[in-house]
Amino acid sequence: MSQPLGIDRVEASDAELVRRVRTGDIGAYGALVARYRGRLGRYAVHMLGDREDAEEALQDSFVRAYRSLQRCDDPARFGAWLYGILVNRCRTSGARAARRRRMFVRDADALNGATHADQADRVEWSDTVNRALARLAPEYREAFLLKHVEDMEYEAMVQLTGAGVSALKMRVKRAREQLQKFLKEAEHV
Amino acid sequence: MMLAALLLVVQVGVAAQDPRLERLDPETRSVVVWVVDSARAVGLPSEPLIQRALEGATKGAAGPRIAAAVRRLATDLGTARTALGQRTSAPELEAGVAALRAGASPEVLTRLRDARRPPLTMALAVLADLVASGVPADSASAVVLAMAPTARDADLVEFRKAVERDISLGAPPGASAAVRAANTGIRFGTSDAAQNPSQPPRPPSRP
Amino acid sequence: MFDRDDDIVERVVRQLRQPVSIDPALDARVMAEIASDAAPLATPRPRFQLRRWPWLAAAAALGAVLIAKPWSGGSDGAANAFQFVLVAPQAASVSLVGDFNDWDPARSPMQTAQGVWATTVPLPPGRYRYAFLVNGVEWRADPGAPRARDDEFGTPSSVITVGGTGS
């Protein structure tokens, strides 16, 4: 096979990677981890409000997904299936975190070279948002994050959360209302 | 006929199902599959062969070149196993191939096996890497054999790194190896050390 | 009032959608944990293939430091995590490819901080050929690692050997 130096590979799909993992190619799982760590990490961090807890939940979820990969019925929807594992894992972790004083997550922006004033503003806003998020009831926070931050459809959220569509819509609505309230309070402090 | 039967077996061999080999063109792929399955049939590890094929694919090498490299590696794995023994692990065999290609004789590999508890991976790797830095094969073989009975893997690696540092500062590789071997209390370059590896030298002094 | 309330939520959503940085070593921890799994996932495979890894082996580039971060003892066949570094300030992308990741550039893209590219991978015991692929077209060996003698494909490769009992 002669081809010019340089790789013209299309990225393997989730289904392809899952197939490879199932034939014993553990390395292909590394590609899946790399692919999903960002998105899932974001959800975990916002859901749990604590980076260490989030990374632990994320790590556990990846490991659990690997070990129960045969139960992933549709490899093309590996991402959604993995989300389900993470959402569940965050529910148990949340209980632990709630017993501790929360640390608030610094926005990634705050670490880049923004100007001093910009940076201060952004960090403050980020803290405000995180505090408001932390005040939401867990099931409201979960529904809000999945719907508005992770852009899930309600039908998909049903699979993940075990709640019905109307219950989920109600939770999202409550979350929006409460966030509005908390943020207005913050403005007036 | 035996050949036809063997080919038939290869048709349903496991390598044929390895999706990674789909990166090869069909002609090259069938050769590589044949080599891999034949190797596996005699108990040689297949993964190094597959990785070699994938390396060639990624680097855009021509099919015949890939096939030749895989065949050569299979042969060398066999030679390494003959020298090191049937129960040798895959990492040891790969390191053994590296040592052979560096110029160590199969006899040296066998002596190393007799002189040192497994795994031999690091000892063989250090031997290969010393030669890769320019130490003559005979000298590298002699010093590794001399250190083999008592040196830890970490000591061997340290030795190699020290020689490489000397070389980067301009030392002739053979001289560096000789001086440092002497420093570890090993009598370097004598026929004694090379031919009687089971006779322990003075224990190496830790720097 | 209604519009303004929605604005508030939209601002919150925009904020929450920002990427969040996750410890780069998390990947290595996941892979190290599943590496020590005894049971294969599907049909039984020849034992050598169970040890295959997509991860990096260690090397120190000029001026960079070798960091070995073992997640396990390393003497029981499980993987130690190693960091690979290449100094390439002009590069737009660098991938690590080698015997541990099927020579697949998509597997181990490296991250850069001001031209110092790095990534970390767990490696079980074994000897691995590897190289850096810069901008998808240029092959570079690792300046700080032993060179592979047989570059039979005409491009440079390096070698890392990881000790311990792997079989």
Side-chain angles (χ1 to χ4, degrees):
Chain A
M1 172 175 75
S2 299
Q3 62 187 9
L5 273 183
I7 314 302
D8 62 332
R9 285 178 62 79
V10 178
E11 247 189 23
S13 66
D14 283 1
E16 160 74 12
L17 290 171
V18 168
R19 190 172 65 82
R20 279 200 238 159
V21 176
R22 285 175 171 169
T23 65
D25 179 357
I26 298 178
Y29 197 71
L32 286 168
V33 173
R35 186 171 284 180
Y36 281 103
R37 69 200 301 281
R39 249 191 297 164
L40 265 59
R42 180 177 64 182
Y43 172 82
V45 161
H46 290 318
M47 188 61 211
L48 302 178
D50 176 310
R51 187 184 300 281
E52 263 186 44
D53 278 355
E55 285 178 357
E56 193 185 310
L58 189 59
Q59 183 178 334
D60 277 358
S61 300
F62 275 126
V63 172
R64 192 171 307 189
Y66 174 83
R67 288 178 176 157
S68 58
L69 199 58
Q70 67 273 19
R71 278 185 250 139
C72 176
D73 292 326
D74 184 359
R77 301 196 65 248
F78 170 81
W81 179 75
L82 180 61
Y83 250 111
I85 294 177
L86 178 69
V87 164
N88 270 296
R89 174 62 179 77
C90 285
R91 287 174 171 180
T92 50
S93 172
R96 290 205 300 273
R99 288 197 285 274
R100 303 203 311 259
R101 195 171 68 81
R102 284 193 178 253
M103 287 166 33
F104 293 103
V105 174
R106 294 276 159 195
D107 191 318
D109 260 356
L111 304 173
N112 296 336
T115 66
H116 191 68
D118 280 353
Q119 186 175 338
D121 284 347
R122 262 188 269 198
V123 168
E124 197 184 305
W125 170 239
S126 161
D127 278 353
T128 304
V129 167
N130 291 329
R131 261 190 287 269
L133 200 60
R135 289 171 69 184
L136 292 177
E139 62 268 24
Y140 294 177
R141 188 182 332 127
E142 180 188 87
F144 179 81
L145 290 173
L146 290 174
K147 179 84 198 100
H148 287 303
V149 180
E150 304 305 318
D151 284 329
M152 276 197 195
E153 300 300 331
Y154 279 110
E155 291 69 27
M157 287 166 60
V158 164
Q159 306 293 328
L160 257 49
T161 62
V165 170
S166 49
L168 289 167
K169 287 186 173 172
M170 176 65 66
R171 293 180 192 176
V172 172
K173 180 163 177 283
R174 294 262 182 273
R176 291 178 68 102
E177 288 164 2
Q178 291 191 355
L179 284 172
Q180 286 159 10
K181 183 161 88 93
F182 299 148
L183 285 155
K184 280 192 241 181
E185 286 171 8
E187 279 180 357
H188 292 127
V189 164
Chain B
M1 291 218 303
M2 267 309 279
L3 186 60
L6 179 63
L7 287 173
L8 185 63
V9 166
V10 163
Q11 292 271 315
V12 297
V14 180
Q17 296 159 20
D18 193 321
R20 298 176 294 170
L21 294 178
E22 281 158 24
R23 291 168 58 189
L24 304 170
D25 69 85
E27 201 178 305
T28 308
R29 185 181 173 193
S30 64
V31 174
V32 169
V33 162
W34 184 87
V35 173
V36 168
D37 284 334
S38 309
R40 195 181 305 199
V42 298
L44 288 173
S46 55
E47 191 58 16
L49 301 169
I50 294 175
Q51 290 299 332
R52 194 56 58 103
L54 295 175
E55 180 187 349
T58 295
K59 291 179 170 178
R65 199 167 174 186
I66 297 177
V70 174
R71 270 200 295 264
R72 206 162 41 235
L73 182 56
T75 304
D76 288 351
L77 285 167
T79 308
R81 192 175 60 169
T82 303
L84 293 168
Q86 289 295 317
R87 282 197 302 280
T88 310
S89 67
E92 289 172 303
L93 288 179
E94 288 180 80
V97 167
L100 288 170
R101 290 183 175 187
S105 67
E107 192 186 29
V108 165
L109 266 56
T110 306
R111 283 187 189 158
L112 191 60
R113 178 200 66 194
D114 294 338
R116 189 174 178 80
R117 266 212 308 268
L120 302 175
T121 316
M122 205 51 88
L124 290 162
V126 164
L127 172 48
D129 293 342
L130 282 170
V131 177
S133 336
V135 177
D138 292 348
S139 312
S141 301
V143 70
V144 171
L145 277 172
M147 290 178 75
T150 53
R152 298 170 307 169
D153 278 356
D155 298 332
L156 292 168
V157 174
E158 268 318 300
F159 183 89
R160 191 258 301 160
K161 286 183 179 169
V163 168
E164 283 174 357
R165 272 199 300 277
D166 293 345
I167 292 170
S168 73
L169 294 169
S176 162
V179 167
R180 290 195 174 272
N183 199 41
T184 62
I186 290 165
R187 294 180 63 214
F188 173 76
T190 65
S191 50
D192 264 356
Q195 286 167 13
N196 294 301
S198 55
Q199 192 172 10
R202 289 200 308 280
S205 52
R206 306 267 185 264
Chain C
M1 190 63 161
F2 182 77
D3 284 343
R4 192 161 176 271
D5 287 347
D6 279 355
D7 276 349
I8 289 179
V9 174
E10 283 320 303
R11 283 179 63 203
V12 168
V13 169
R14 263 204 304 278
Q15 170 66 29
L16 294 174
R17 282 187 196 242
Q18 307 270 6
V20 168
S21 66
I22 299 292
D23 181 4
L26 178 133
D27 299 39
R29 288 200 294 274
V30 170
M31 299 309 289
E33 218 180 310
I34 67 182
S36 35
D37 278 10
L41 279 183
T43 57
R45 303 282 293 172
R47 55 195 266 271
F48 299 121
Q49 283 175 323
L50 283 177
R51 271 198 327 256
R52 192 166 59 245
W53 283 96
W55 296 85
L56 306 180
L62 293 166
V65 171
L66 172 69
I67 298 172
K69 295 182 198 139
W71 296 115
S72 62
S75 60
D76 56 358
N80 283 336
F82 293 93
Q83 185 185 50
F84 283 111
V85 179
L86 178 71
V87 178
Q90 311 301 329
S93 73
V94 182
S95 272
L96 179 64
V97 287
D99 287 341
F100 37 71
N101 69 3
D102 298 342
W103 292 86
D104 182 347
R107 289 276 188 84
S108 308
M110 297 170 77
Q111 285 75 46
T112 183
Q114 295 169 336
V116 181
W117 297 80
T119 188
T120 302
V121 167
L123 280 186
R127 185 172 168 88
Y128 306 90
R129 294 159 56 90
Y130 68 96
F132 300 110
L133 184 60
V134 178
N135 296 334
V137 294
E138 183 197 335
W139 291 96
R140 289 203 213 163
D142 189 324
R147 187 64 71 90
R149 268 181 67 87
D150 41 343
D151 59 348
E152 34 204 349
F153 301 118
T155 68
S157 296
S158 303
V159 180
I160 172 122
T161 310
V162 178
T165 54
S167 47

